Amino acid sequence: MLEVKGLCKYFGGIRAVDDCTFTAEEGQITALIGPNGAGKTTAFNCVSRTMMPTRGEVWLDGRRIDRLRPHKITGMGLSRTFQISRNLADMTVLENVIAQAQVRGWRDLFRPAMSAAEIDKAMGILDFLGITRIAHEDGSNLSYGQKKLMDLAALLMSDPKIILLDEPAGGVNLSLLEEIIGHIRKLNEAGLTVLIVEHNMDLIMRLSHKVVVMAQGAIIAEGTPEEVRADPAVLDAYLGST
Ligand code: ATP
């Protein structure tokens, strides 16, 4: 469903992503892992078109998307989260979820007023994530973990078919980690395809159907969690980076 072919992103002389080819199969959870600086976030940015690739192609459901504007890609069913929460100041969680979805291009026109349908939909998503109790709290007063869940809620407003999660477990405590793993599993079981960039190996090993390993801009291994864990090239890449 998501095909990345020969993707390259160069920053001057730095080859952040260099000729990467991989797929994220429909209905599966695919993880993109690798040591710091491997190029994971840059690859993610190019796939979601937050960044323009230097070269290469990205295809979604048989349509080439690497030249499309980000909101068009969202409209085709691909949405992403960011490492840093996109919390908008002076808004409640409910308003944040709706406004973020509007800014993402779920609607073509930015319209700050919330319709009854938008409120219903957002409340349904907050309920799905078990956070209706914070719907009317100021977004800026949330804990780190609550902000992560709010961002996930905003992502779901666009009715995505595939979600790209950038370090969903980054900086979270153990109980929130379990909650986040549960949500990702539930979303996948509900039919969503998932592509995750993550450092937390526990999450990767428990959730992923397929793991793609990057190091120094290139893909060095691909397979089931068990396969990549036993791959000497992967062990070398991680040990070499410490
Ligand atoms: P981490 O796990 O630490 O987030 P990563 O695998 O996501 O790392 P990237 O953030 O994609 O790696 O970075 C890959 C390489 O590209 C690094 O050498 C980084 O310094 C470089 N890089 C990333 N963004 C830029 C930029 N805007 N300008 C110049 N170099 C960049």
Side-chain angles (χ1 to χ4, degrees):
M1 89 118 37
L2 179 74
E3 295 175 270
V4 176
K5 301 179 188 175
L7 189 71
C8 300
K9 180 67 184 178
Y10 304 153
F11 300 105
I14 299 172
R15 294 176 172 235
V17 176
D18 199 12
D19 198 19
C20 286
T21 296
F22 65 92
T23 58
E25 302 298 332
E26 188 165 351
Q28 289 202 349
I29 300 177
T30 302
L32 195 55
I33 68 167
N36 288 327
K40 306 176 298 290
T41 299
T42 306
F44 228 57
N45 288 341
C46 291
V47 168
S48 61
R49 265 292 279 109
T50 318
M51 218 173 239
M52 181 71 105
T54 306
R55 234 189 352 260
E57 299 176 8
V58 182
W59 293 72
L60 179 64
D61 288 338
R63 275 187 67 191
R64 192 167 169 184
I65 62 168
D66 49 274
R67 297 296 151 92
L68 300 181
R69 287 167 176 268
H71 75 274
K72 289 272 183 214
I73 295 175
T74 308
M76 288 173 62
L78 183 149
S79 286
R80 67 165 294 178
T81 60
F82 291 83
Q83 273 174 34
I84 309 289
S85 172
R86 301 234 136 174
N87 184 25
L88 304 169
D90 297 328
M91 285 193 188
T92 67
V93 170
L94 181 65
E95 287 165 342
N96 249 289
V97 167
I98 293 172
Q100 283 192 46
Q102 291 171 340
V103 173
R104 276 166 194 277
W106 171 48
R107 310 174 62 93
D108 282 338
L109 294 173
F110 180 74
R111 208 185 58 175
M114 302 189 292
S115 70
E118 285 168 330
I119 293 171
D120 272 2
K121 183 172 183 176
M123 287 304 286
I125 291 171
L126 295 180
D127 187 34
F128 179 83
L129 296 175
I131 52 171
T132 43
R133 69 188 179 285
I134 59 165
H136 302 292
E137 278 191 29
D138 192 322
S140 49
N141 291 338
L142 302 182
S143 69
Y144 181 76
Q146 287 171 327
K147 280 184 187 157
K148 288 239 168 217
L149 293 176
M150 182 179 75
D151 288 347
L152 191 54
L155 177 83
L156 297 175
M157 284 294 284
S158 62
D159 296 322
K161 291 184 285 189
I162 175 165
I163 52 175
L164 275 56
L165 305 177
D166 197 352
E167 298 202 18
V172 306
N173 62 30
L174 274 184
S175 76
L176 186 64
L177 175 67
E178 289 307 318
E179 207 179 316
I180 287 174
I181 287 176
H183 288 319
I184 296 173
R185 188 170 282 138
K186 207 160 60 159
L187 290 168
N188 177 243
E189 284 168 1
L192 256 73
T193 303
V194 183
L195 178 64
I196 312 180
V197 164
E198 183 53 65
H199 283 288
N200 186 305
M201 285 298 158
D202 183 33
L203 179 145
I204 296 298
M205 293 297 153
R206 285 167 60 190
L207 276 181
S208 315
H209 298 100
K210 182 171 83 174
V211 181
V212 177
V213 189
M214 285 184 78
Q216 297 178 345
I219 292 175
I220 59 159
E222 192 174 328
T224 63
E226 292 71 27
E227 284 166 349
V228 299
R229 188 160 48 185
D231 189 321
V234 176
L235 295 173
D236 270 2
Y238 274 94
L239 292 175
S241 73
T242 56

